[in-house]
Amino acid sequence: MFKAPWICRRCFNASLKPDRRRLLRFASTGSHDSFSPALLARARGMATEHDKLSAQTSETFDVRISKRIGELKGVVEALKEWEATQESLSELNALLKDPSTDVELRELAVEDLASSTAQLDTLSQNLAKSLIPKHPFEDLPCLIEIRPGAGGGEAALFAGDLLRMYRTYCSRKNFRASLLKFEATEGGFDESSPLAEAIIEIETPGAYGELRSEAGVHRVQRVPATEKQGRTHTSAVSVLVLPNLPASGSEGLDIGDVDLNDPTSDYYVDPSEVRTDVMRARGAGGQHVNTTDSAIRLTHIPTNTVVSMQESRSQHQNRAKAWQVLRSRIAQARREAREEEVVALRRNIMGVAKMGRGDKVRTYNYGQQRVTDHRSGLTVHNLDDVMDGGDELGKIIDSVKGWLGEREMEMVLAEEEQAASKSKAK
């Protein structure tokens, strides 16, 4: 009986195109239908835009064009790998269908086809993730505002617990964080007192992208220290995460799109639209409290946004901090307003409600030592580690970031499919 000559894997791979051999290791599915045609068309359109912009910069340099090229680069690279892998799998399938292929070569092709098909899923996911639009504030530092909600004194106590949790988490992650504002329910600045309002400033670039998913209502279920009959009470604390741009900028932070003097920037606030009130600092004790006009209150008249600051003995420092918080709140409000039309479209397509500061996002149950995030569905039974800003809190934050990525991908897909259907209707 005729026996086919033995062929080593190196020789077999050499029979394929050189630029395909490396990609065989990263393949994920052999079917062209495994990836959404709408998303594939979007990716190819972005690749075409990348090529056109690259041709323009070869003649003249433009900062904004170069930045856009950088944003498209990830999509182009992911698309090239995905398309090259698809072609490699087509070659393997053609080799298997060819009746003249000898047994030894066929066995090698089957083995490579199986491993490639199993891994193409990863490339498809990478391509899909690269198509998710980057949040415009993702690389910025951030402010975390914490305020007690329903629950009275117990809510104020839990707000203080969340403040310590986030400060500890930032310390563990080596984020540069400081307490920008602290106000106790009875006045004063004693951090052991029940909390009325606190603002944490995190100066590390990218902190907004890391922590923006923490915005929302955090619910606590526990027995208050003052409860005589051991009944569990439910309280709530509101957490708001704002993008932040310090006046002096930050190391490694590109502030080109957030110029404070650019009227088109989300951070631009016309000083003529802001009313400034100077008053004496309120609260208990302290040489400057109730004796000097150091407190500042800014009111943005068009939006009625009010920011007050009295933490520093210096009126100048309080004014600078108040402007910093005001710009952050205005920028966030403008971003949300600009997205309302898109959010409405997504609600119609997906039936998904907008996630915002008013949504209950997480429950902390002290009796069961349980923390449940209501978006990702993740539950951990190590509440102490979460409140200490430990690894369990990081695990929850990562799960929510993954959930957000999936939702954003579904929304992008829905929008592309709707746009494609409209084009066909025309």
Side-chain angles (χ1 to χ4, degrees), residues 144-148 156-164 167 178-201 281-284 288-289 308-312 318 321 325:
I144 299 180
E145 295 189 8
I146 303 173
R147 295 187 184 88
L157 290 172
F158 184 61
D161 293 339
L162 288 185
L163 171 62
R164 287 183 286 274
R167 295 182 74 179
S178 59
L179 192 58
L180 185 66
K181 180 178 182 179
F182 183 93
E183 185 178 331
T185 54
E186 298 178 355
F189 312 104
D190 184 3
E191 295 186 22
S192 63
S193 302
L195 176 65
E197 180 184 7
I199 301 178
I200 308 172
E201 179 184 15
R282 297 173 298 173
H288 76 294
V289 175
S308 60
M309 197 67 62
Q310 64 174 28
E311 270 54 41
S312 174
N318 284 332
K321 290 180 180 178
V325 175

Side-chain angles (χ1 to χ4, degrees), residues 77-365:
E77 292 177 349
L79 178 63
K80 284 182 179 178
E81 288 192 346
W82 187 87
E83 289 182 331
T85 303
Q86 288 284 5
E87 188 173 340
S88 297
L89 291 175
S90 298
E91 292 177 4
L92 289 170
N93 283 315
L95 200 61
L96 290 172
K97 292 178 181 179
D98 188 353
S100 63
T101 303
D102 58 67
V103 177
E104 199 73 30
L105 192 61
R106 187 180 297 274
E107 290 178 355
L108 290 172
V110 169
E111 184 179 342
D112 274 344
L113 183 65
S115 62
S116 299
T117 303
Q119 294 177 16
L120 186 57
D121 204 28
T122 302
L123 278 183
S124 297
Q125 291 177 9
N126 292 342
L127 179 56
K129 289 178 181 178
S130 69
L131 293 172
I132 299 176
K134 183 178 179 180
H135 196 285
F137 300 149
E138 184 173 345
D139 295 330
L140 290 177
C142 72
L143 301 176
I144 299 180
E145 295 189 8
I146 303 173
R147 295 187 184 88
E154 178 62 20
L157 290 172
F158 184 61
D161 293 339
L162 288 185
L163 171 62
R164 287 183 286 274
M165 178 186 79
Y166 285 124
R167 295 182 74 179
T168 306
Y169 180 76
C170 290
S171 177
R172 189 176 65 83
K173 297 284 286 186
N174 294 321
F175 289 167
R176 297 190 302 274
S178 59
L179 192 58
L180 185 66
K181 180 178 182 179
F182 183 93
E183 185 178 331
T185 54
E186 298 178 355
F189 312 104
D190 184 3
E191 295 186 22
S192 63
S193 302
L195 176 65
E197 180 184 7
I199 301 178
I200 308 172
E201 179 184 15
I202 305 175
E203 301 176 25
T204 304
Y208 181 81
E210 174 74 16
L211 296 169
R212 70 184 179 98
S213 59
E214 290 300 288
V217 175
H218 294 241
R219 184 178 67 173
V220 60
Q221 296 173 331
R222 63 183 179 184
V223 180
T226 57
E227 171 60 47
K228 303 293 184 181
Q229 300 179 4
R231 292 174 297 186
T232 298
H233 290 218
T234 299
S235 306
V237 172
S238 173
V239 175
L240 179 61
V241 182
L242 301 171
N244 179 38
L245 181 66
S248 59
S250 274
E251 182 180 354
L253 178 64
D254 179 12
I255 62 174
D257 287 344
V258 286
D259 185 357
L260 302 182
N261 298 317
D262 182 4
T264 62
S265 168
D266 285 335
Y267 277 87
Y268 176 77
V269 177
D270 188 348
S272 65
E273 297 178 343
V274 178
R275 184 178 69 247
T276 303
D277 298 313
V278 180
M279 64 199 76
R280 293 188 176 184
R282 297 173 298 173
Q287 294 180 356
H288 76 294
V289 175
N290 296 319
T291 60
T292 60
D293 293 333
S294 59
I296 292 292
R297 182 173 64 215
L298 301 179
T299 303
H300 187 241
I301 298 173
T303 61
N304 199 32
T305 302
V306 180
V307 176
S308 60
M309 197 67 62
Q310 64 174 28
E311 270 54 41
S312 174
R313 297 186 181 186
S314 166
Q315 183 187 120
H316 176 73
Q317 292 181 6
N318 284 332
R319 187 187 301 272
K321 290 180 180 178
W323 269 100
Q324 182 179 339
V325 175
L326 180 65
R327 287 192 181 99
S328 295
R329 290 183 181 176
I330 296 298
Q332 182 80 344
R334 286 171 176 167
R335 175 68 185 175
E336 291 177 353
R338 194 164 56 248
E339 289 179 338
E340 280 301 321
E341 184 177 347
V342 177
V343 169
L345 172 64
R346 289 173 174 176
R347 281 175 179 164
N348 294 333
I349 299 173
M350 300 289 298
V352 176
K354 177 185 176 184
M355 187 196 73
R357 67 191 74 179
D359 299 304
K360 179 183 70 177
V361 297
R362 194 173 299 155
T363 295
Y364 305 75
N365 188 299

Side-chain angles (χ1 to χ4, degrees), residues 9-75:
R9 182 176 298 277
R10 180 180 299 176
C11 297
F12 168 70
N13 285 337
S15 67
L16 298 173
K17 294 180 180 179
D19 59 341
R20 303 289 182 259
R21 295 197 299 267
R22 177 180 60 85
L23 292 166
L24 279 174
R25 299 187 313 241
F26 305 107
S28 53
T29 171
S31 171
H32 196 80
D33 297 331
S34 61
F35 198 77
S36 164
L39 292 182
L40 191 58
R42 179 188 180 99
R44 286 172 174 163
M46 295 174 75
T48 302
E49 181 187 357
H50 177 273
D51 294 340
K52 291 181 179 178
L53 293 177
S54 298
Q56 291 181 22
T57 54
S58 62
E59 300 176 358
T60 57
F61 179 78
D62 184 275
V63 176
R64 293 188 178 275
I65 292 179
S66 297
K67 185 176 181 180
R68 178 58 178 166
I69 291 175
E71 294 173 352
L72 297 171
K73 184 178 179 181
V75 178

